[in-house]
Coordinates of all heavy atoms in Angstrom, one line a residue:
R2 N 18.2 -57.8 61.0 CA 17.7 -57.9 59.6 C 17.3 -59.4 59.3 O 16.4 -59.7 58.7 CB 18.5 -57.4 58.4 CG 18.8 -55.7 58.7 CD 19.8 -55.3 57.7 NE 20.3 -54.0 58.0 CZ 21.2 -53.6 58.8 NH1 22.0 -54.5 59.4 NH2 21.6 -52.4 59.0
L3 N 18.4 -60.2 59.6 CA 18.1 -61.7 59.4 C 17.0 -62.2 60.4 O 16.2 -62.9 59.9 CB 19.4 -62.4 59.6 CG 19.3 -63.9 59.3 CD1 18.8 -64.2 57.8 CD2 20.8 -64.6 59.4
L4 N 17.0 -61.8 61.6 CA 16.0 -62.2 62.5 C 14.6 -61.8 62.0 O 13.6 -62.6 61.9 CB 16.2 -61.5 63.8 CG 17.3 -62.1 64.8 CD1 17.6 -61.3 65.9 CD2 16.9 -63.6 65.1
I5 N 14.4 -60.5 61.5 CA 13.2 -60.0 60.8 C 12.8 -60.8 59.7 O 11.7 -61.2 59.5 CB 13.3 -58.6 60.5 CG1 13.5 -57.7 61.8 CG2 12.1 -58.0 59.7 CD1 13.8 -56.2 61.6
A6 N 13.8 -61.1 58.8 CA 13.5 -61.9 57.6 C 13.0 -63.3 57.9 O 12.0 -63.8 57.3 CB 14.7 -62.0 56.8
V7 N 13.6 -63.9 58.9 CA 13.2 -65.3 59.4 C 11.8 -65.2 59.9 O 11.0 -66.1 59.6 CB 14.2 -65.8 60.4 CG1 13.7 -67.1 61.0 CG2 15.4 -66.0 59.8
T8 N 11.5 -64.1 60.7 CA 10.2 -64.0 61.3 C 9.1 -63.9 60.1 O 8.1 -64.4 60.1 CB 10.2 -62.9 62.2 OG1 11.1 -63.1 63.3 CG2 8.7 -62.8 62.9
A9 N 9.6 -63.0 59.2 CA 8.5 -62.6 58.2 C 8.2 -63.8 57.4 O 7.1 -63.9 56.8 CB 9.2 -61.5 57.2
S10 N 9.2 -64.7 57.2 CA 8.9 -65.9 56.3 C 7.8 -66.8 56.8 O 7.2 -67.6 56.0 CB 10.2 -66.8 56.2 OG 10.4 -67.4 57.6
F11 N 7.5 -66.6 58.1 CA 6.4 -67.5 58.6 C 5.0 -66.8 58.3 O 3.9 -67.4 58.6 CB 6.5 -67.6 60.1 CG 7.6 -68.5 60.6 CD1 8.8 -67.9 61.0 CD2 7.5 -69.9 60.5 CE1 9.8 -68.7 61.3 CE2 8.7 -70.6 60.8 CZ 9.8 -70.0 61.3
A12 N 5.0 -65.6 57.7 CA 3.8 -64.9 57.4 C 3.1 -65.3 56.1 O 1.9 -65.1 55.9 CB 4.0 -63.3 57.4
F13 N 3.7 -66.1 55.3 CA 3.2 -66.5 54.0 C 2.1 -67.3 54.1 O 1.5 -67.7 53.0 CB 4.4 -67.0 53.1 CG 5.3 -65.9 52.8 CD1 6.6 -66.0 53.1 CD2 4.9 -64.8 52.1 CE1 7.6 -65.0 52.8 CE2 5.8 -63.7 51.8 CZ 7.2 -63.9 52.1
G14 N 1.8 -68.1 55.2 CA 0.7 -68.9 55.3 C -0.6 -68.3 55.3 O -1.7 -68.9 55.4
G15 N -0.7 -67.0 55.2 CA -1.9 -66.2 55.1 C -2.3 -65.6 56.5 O -3.4 -64.9 56.6
H16 N -1.6 -66.0 57.6 CA -1.9 -65.3 58.9 C -0.7 -64.6 59.3 O 0.4 -64.9 59.4 CB -2.1 -66.6 60.0 CG -3.2 -67.5 59.4 ND1 -4.5 -67.2 59.8 CD2 -3.2 -68.7 58.9 CE1 -5.3 -68.2 59.2 NE2 -4.5 -69.1 58.8
A17 N -1.0 -63.4 59.8 CA -0.1 -62.5 60.4 C 0.6 -63.2 61.6 O -0.1 -63.7 62.5 CB -0.6 -61.1 60.6
P18 N 1.9 -63.0 61.9 CA 2.6 -63.6 62.9 C 2.2 -62.8 64.2 O 1.8 -61.6 64.2 CB 4.0 -63.4 62.7 CG 4.1 -62.3 61.7 CD 2.9 -62.4 60.8
A19 N 2.1 -63.5 65.4 CA 1.8 -62.7 66.6 C 2.9 -61.7 66.9 O 4.0 -61.8 66.4 CB 1.7 -63.8 67.7
Q20 N 2.6 -60.8 67.8 CA 3.5 -59.7 68.2 C 4.7 -60.3 68.8 O 4.6 -61.2 69.6 CB 2.7 -58.8 69.2 CG 3.7 -57.8 69.8 CD 3.9 -56.6 68.9 OE1 3.0 -56.3 68.2 NE2 5.1 -55.9 69.1
D21 N 5.8 -60.0 68.4 CA 7.1 -60.7 68.8 C 7.5 -59.9 70.1 O 8.1 -58.8 69.9 CB 8.1 -60.5 67.7 CG 9.5 -61.1 68.1 OD1 9.5 -62.0 69.0 OD2 10.5 -60.7 67.6
K22 N 7.4 -60.5 71.1 CA 7.6 -59.9 72.4 C 9.0 -60.5 72.8 O 9.2 -61.3 73.7 CB 6.8 -60.2 73.5 CG 6.8 -59.3 74.8 CD 5.6 -59.6 75.7 CE 5.7 -58.6 76.8 NZ 4.6 -58.8 77.8
S23 N 10.0 -59.9 72.1 CA 11.4 -60.3 72.2 C 12.3 -59.1 72.0 O 11.9 -58.2 71.3 CB 11.8 -61.5 71.4 OG 11.9 -61.1 70.1
I24 N 13.6 -59.1 72.5 CA 14.6 -58.1 72.3 C 15.9 -58.8 71.9 O 16.0 -59.9 72.3 CB 14.7 -57.1 73.4 CG1 15.1 -57.8 74.6 CG2 13.5 -56.3 73.6 CD1 15.4 -56.8 75.9
V25 N 16.7 -58.0 71.2 CA 18.2 -58.5 71.0 C 19.0 -57.6 71.9 O 19.0 -56.4 71.9 CB 18.5 -58.2 69.5 CG1 19.9 -58.7 69.2 CG2 17.6 -59.1 68.6
V26 N 19.8 -58.3 72.6 CA 20.8 -57.7 73.6 C 22.2 -58.0 73.1 O 22.6 -59.2 73.0 CB 20.6 -58.0 75.0 CG1 21.7 -57.5 76.0 CG2 19.3 -57.7 75.5
A27 N 22.9 -57.0 72.6 CA 24.3 -57.2 72.3 C 25.2 -57.1 73.6 O 25.1 -56.1 74.3 CB 24.8 -56.1 71.3
S28 N 25.9 -58.2 73.9 CA 26.6 -58.2 75.2 C 28.0 -58.8 75.1 O 28.2 -59.3 73.9 CB 25.8 -58.8 76.4 OG 26.3 -58.7 77.7
T29 N 28.7 -58.7 76.2 CA 30.0 -59.3 76.3 C 30.1 -60.8 76.3 O 29.1 -61.4 76.8 CB 30.8 -58.7 77.5 OG1 30.4 -59.4 78.4 CG2 30.6 -57.3 77.5
T30 N 31.2 -61.4 75.9 CA 31.2 -62.9 76.0 C 31.4 -63.2 77.4 O 30.9 -64.4 77.9 CB 32.5 -63.3 75.3 OG1 33.7 -62.7 75.9 CG2 32.5 -63.0 73.8
S31 N 31.8 -62.4 78.4 CA 31.9 -62.8 79.8 C 30.6 -62.8 80.4 O 30.4 -63.7 81.3 CB 32.7 -61.6 80.5 OG 32.1 -60.4 80.6
T32 N 29.6 -62.0 80.1 CA 28.3 -62.3 80.7 C 27.6 -63.6 80.3 O 26.8 -64.2 81.1 CB 27.4 -61.0 80.4 OG1 27.5 -60.8 79.0 CG2 27.7 -59.8 81.1
Q33 N 28.0 -64.0 79.0 CA 27.5 -65.2 78.5 C 28.2 -66.4 79.1 O 27.8 -67.3 79.5 CB 27.5 -65.2 76.9 CG 26.9 -66.5 76.3 CD 25.4 -66.3 76.0 OE1 24.6 -65.8 76.9 NE2 25.1 -67.0 75.0
D34 N 29.5 -66.4 78.9 CA 30.5 -67.4 79.3 C 30.5 -67.7 80.7 O 30.6 -68.9 81.2 CB 31.9 -67.2 78.8 CG 32.0 -67.2 77.3 OD1 31.1 -67.7 76.6 OD2 33.0 -66.8 76.8
S35 N 30.2 -66.8 81.6 CA 30.1 -66.8 83.1 C 28.9 -67.7 83.5 O 28.7 -68.1 84.6 CB 30.2 -65.5 83.7 OG 29.0 -64.8 83.4

């Protein structure tokens, strides 16, 4: 929700933001820390 809100905040300049080609992956600390 916060990620969407942050992205939406850039739309107030009058131009629609580009398609967000990104995903959120919830993962373990071990895959990150390693």
